[in-house]
Amino acid sequence: MTGPLAAHPFGDPQTVEIAAGADDPSVVHVTWKVGAADDLTLLGIHLGVLPEDRVMLDGAISYDAGDAALVEQAPEVQAYLLEHVTVRAAGQECAGRVEATGDLIADGADLVFSCAVPPEVATVAVDTLTDLHPAYRTLATGPDGQHQVYGADAPSHDWTLAVGTGVGPAGTTTRAQSLDTGTSAALQIGGVLGAVLLVAVAGAAVARRRRRVTPTPTP
């Protein structure tokens, strides 16, 4: 598919939001948002949607405003998300599908997983972009203020979805409701990880000014 790639993991982080289905408690929603436009360009190169010559000799990524739309519309992206975001409940894999995609930075992609039985606890694995560089992180939020930071060293986490946690029949959190809050997952977690994120943001600012990336071989 592609040759050696460069990654840009030090910018705005990816986010995921986990919620139980509003009408069907056996359904788990995972909304994934990419961190920044150049991450989409990198993903597009990796998937063969964009040409490899976007990677400069010094490892920097050359991207333009049209890249995001090209990548968002590519069917390879949906296949990639279903490969790198999975849900298990009661020891069984939940069947996934991509129900909605749009602006992957502002709105994200809604992945819907149908489990055999309504899960009280779901194991959600996320390793998007860490296959491009292990320094990528994903900030995750779930019902009742649950949170997690996914990374190459922590690709899986158990989320409580039982009734009484703010999801399920007694109080399901839907994707639309989540988006209406206007509060990003990063900001929700920011209160908990404030000091860590401040360091990360400072590093991101330096990294973006330099527009340097670290080469890493394609897995």
Side-chain angles (χ1 to χ4, degrees), residues 21-41:
D23 302 318
D24 185 351
S26 67
V27 166
V28 177
H29 288 263
V30 180
T31 301
W32 175 83
K33 298 179 183 178
V34 72
D38 55 350
D39 292 328
L40 273 181
T41 297

Side-chain angles (χ1 to χ4, degrees), residues 186-203:
L187 290 177
Q188 294 173 47
I189 295 178
V192 179
L193 304 177
V196 174
L197 290 180
L198 284 175
V199 172
V201 168

Side-chain angles (χ1 to χ4, degrees), residues 7-196:
H8 190 189
F10 305 113
D12 296 335
Q14 307 170 85
T15 63
V16 295
E17 186 170 344
I18 290 88
D23 302 318
D24 185 351
S26 67
V27 166
V28 177
H29 288 263
V30 180
T31 301
W32 175 83
K33 298 179 183 178
V34 72
D38 55 350
D39 292 328
L40 273 181
T41 297
L42 180 66
L43 181 58
I45 296 170
H46 172 68
L47 297 176
V49 177
L50 298 173
E52 294 183 23
D53 60 9
R54 293 297 188 85
V55 182
M56 311 303 287
L57 292 178
D58 64 356
I61 297 293
S62 173
Y63 65 96
D64 60 47
D67 288 352
L70 288 174
V71 176
E72 288 162 359
Q73 296 167 8
E76 289 90 343
V77 173
Q78 296 191 11
Y80 175 85
L81 290 176
L82 290 174
E83 180 180 353
H84 290 273
V85 180
T86 61
V87 175
R88 292 181 64 84
Q92 298 184 37
E93 198 82 17
C94 302
R97 69 181 187 278
V98 178
E99 188 166 86
T101 59
D103 184 331
L104 292 178
I105 299 174
D107 301 325
D110 187 21
L111 284 72
V112 180
F113 296 88
S114 299
C115 305
V117 297
E120 294 188 353
V121 176
T123 301
V124 180
V126 179
D127 64 353
T128 48
L129 300 186
T130 55
D131 57 331
L132 306 184
H133 197 291
Y136 274 108
R137 294 290 183 271
T138 304
L139 305 184
T141 56
D144 283 357
Q146 297 175 74
H147 61 271
Q148 170 68 7
V149 179
Y150 286 99
D153 56 347
S156 181
H157 185 69
D158 291 342
W159 297 86
T160 300
L161 302 177
V163 174
T165 63
V167 299
T172 298
T173 300
T174 66
R175 175 174 183 256
Q177 289 168 335
S178 306
L179 296 176
D180 285 344
T181 65
T183 303
S184 72
L187 290 177
Q188 294 173 47
I189 295 178
V192 179
L193 304 177
V196 174

